[in-house]
């Protein structure tokens, strides 16, 4: 190998001649085959550069990334009627998370059963409310944030997150109350169904 710097030319008559940086030397030793007829390069690239990737993997967009986290958070839910997870994000940074579960210190549905009123279990605090409460408990302002939630908010949770300053809600499935869509538009809060956004 002769020369130095980017784009150095390989001397195939004597591949070990000249100065090497340690990475280039190791790479050529792994990727050359020695035969009686001489050394045959399998591939080459610029001096000291990384080997090219055979295929570039497409990265998740931010909405899908945070929704995946909300889906994982939902696994902590303690009411088996529906597991919901919520993540509050601003500037691509997680501010708070929440899932549906009982009031702090009280028994969960999974432990003692549901507390039903008009076909609803009212034992639990909803995921969105728990995420807002967790932020408040820790002194974290959530104005101007995005809420990622695995099911669209109920009417009460929508009012709560709207007044807390959430400006965008990304949800995975629609849940019960169409009033949320109407009032979100009036309040200037963007509602995004991630499956529709991703063409699913």
């Amino acid at each position: 190998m002769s020369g130095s710097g980017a784009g150095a030319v390989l001397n195939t008559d004597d591949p070990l001649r000249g100065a090497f940086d340690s990475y280039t030397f190791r790479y050529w030793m792994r990727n050359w085959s020695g035969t009686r007829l001489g050394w045959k390069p399998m591939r080459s690239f610029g001096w000291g550069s990384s080997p090219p990737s055979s295929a570039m993997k497409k990265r998740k967009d931010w909405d899908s990334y945070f929704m995946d986290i909300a889906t994982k958070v939902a696994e902590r839910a303690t009411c088996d009627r529906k597991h919901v997870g919520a993540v509050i994000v601003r500037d691509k940074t997680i501010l708070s998370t929440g899932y549906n579960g009982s009031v702090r210190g009280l028994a969960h549905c999974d432990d003692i059963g549901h507390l039903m009123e008009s076909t609803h279990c009212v034992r639990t605090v909803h995921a969105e409310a728990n995420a807002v409460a967790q932020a408040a408990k820790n002194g974290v302002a959530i104005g101007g944030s995005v809420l990622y939630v695995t099911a669209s908010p109920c009417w009460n949770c929508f009012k709560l997150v709207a007044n807390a300053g959430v400006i965008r809600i990304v949800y995975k499935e629609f849940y019960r109350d169409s009033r949320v869509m109407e009032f979100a538009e009036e309040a200037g809060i963007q509602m995004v169904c991630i499956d529709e956004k991703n063409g699913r």
Side-chain angles (χ1 to χ4, degrees):
M1 180 172 289
S2 61
S4 62
V9 178
L10 179 70
N11 183 340
T12 57
D13 294 330
D14 184 1
L16 300 181
R17 188 178 66 186
F20 288 77
D21 64 43
S22 61
Y23 176 81
T24 305
F25 176 77
R26 289 196 304 271
Y27 180 79
W28 281 111
M29 291 300 289
R30 285 198 304 269
N31 292 278
W32 279 58
S33 59
T35 70
R36 292 181 180 180
L37 298 177
W39 291 80
K40 293 183 179 181
M42 295 170 63
R43 53 182 170 167
S44 62
F45 53 94
W47 179 281
S49 63
S50 300
S53 172
S54 58
M56 295 296 291
K57 182 179 179 181
K58 185 178 179 181
R59 299 173 70 189
K60 282 183 179 289
D61 62 78
W62 286 108
D63 284 345
S64 298
Y65 171 74
F66 287 118
M67 185 59 74
D68 284 353
I69 295 173
T71 301
K72 199 67 180 174
V73 170
E75 294 179 9
R76 286 278 301 167
T78 62
C79 180
D80 61 9
R81 286 174 58 84
K82 193 169 190 65
H83 287 189
V84 180
V87 178
I88 298 175
V89 174
R90 187 175 56 231
D91 298 330
K92 301 182 178 66
T93 301
I94 294 175
L95 304 178
S96 183
T97 66
Y99 52 87
N100 53 319
S102 292
V103 173
R104 187 184 297 270
L106 300 185
H108 295 282
C109 293
D110 288 349
D111 301 322
I112 62 171
H114 305 292
L115 180 61
M116 301 298 297
E117 287 184 6
S118 303
T119 73
H120 291 276
C121 177
V122 296
R123 187 180 301 282
T124 61
V125 180
H126 286 190
E128 308 94 313
N130 269 329
V132 171
Q134 188 71 9
K137 179 175 179 288
N138 292 310
V140 178
I142 60 173
S145 64
V146 179
L147 170 69
Y148 293 88
V149 61
T150 56
S152 61
C154 69
W155 177 234
N156 287 329
C157 284
F158 170 76
K159 291 186 289 184
L160 177 65
V161 300
N163 274 8
V166 169
I167 60 174
R168 185 170 181 258
I169 298 173
V170 182
Y171 63 95
K172 195 170 186 179
E173 64 174 277
F174 174 73
Y175 177 71
R176 294 180 184 269
D177 204 328
S178 58
R179 289 178 297 177
V180 169
M181 306 301 173
E182 177 187 346
F183 283 95
E185 183 176 2
E186 188 176 335
I189 297 173
Q190 185 183 12
M191 298 289 295
V192 178
C193 175
I194 194 164
D195 285 346
E196 291 178 4
K197 176 194 169 192
N198 293 337
R200 292 198 290 264

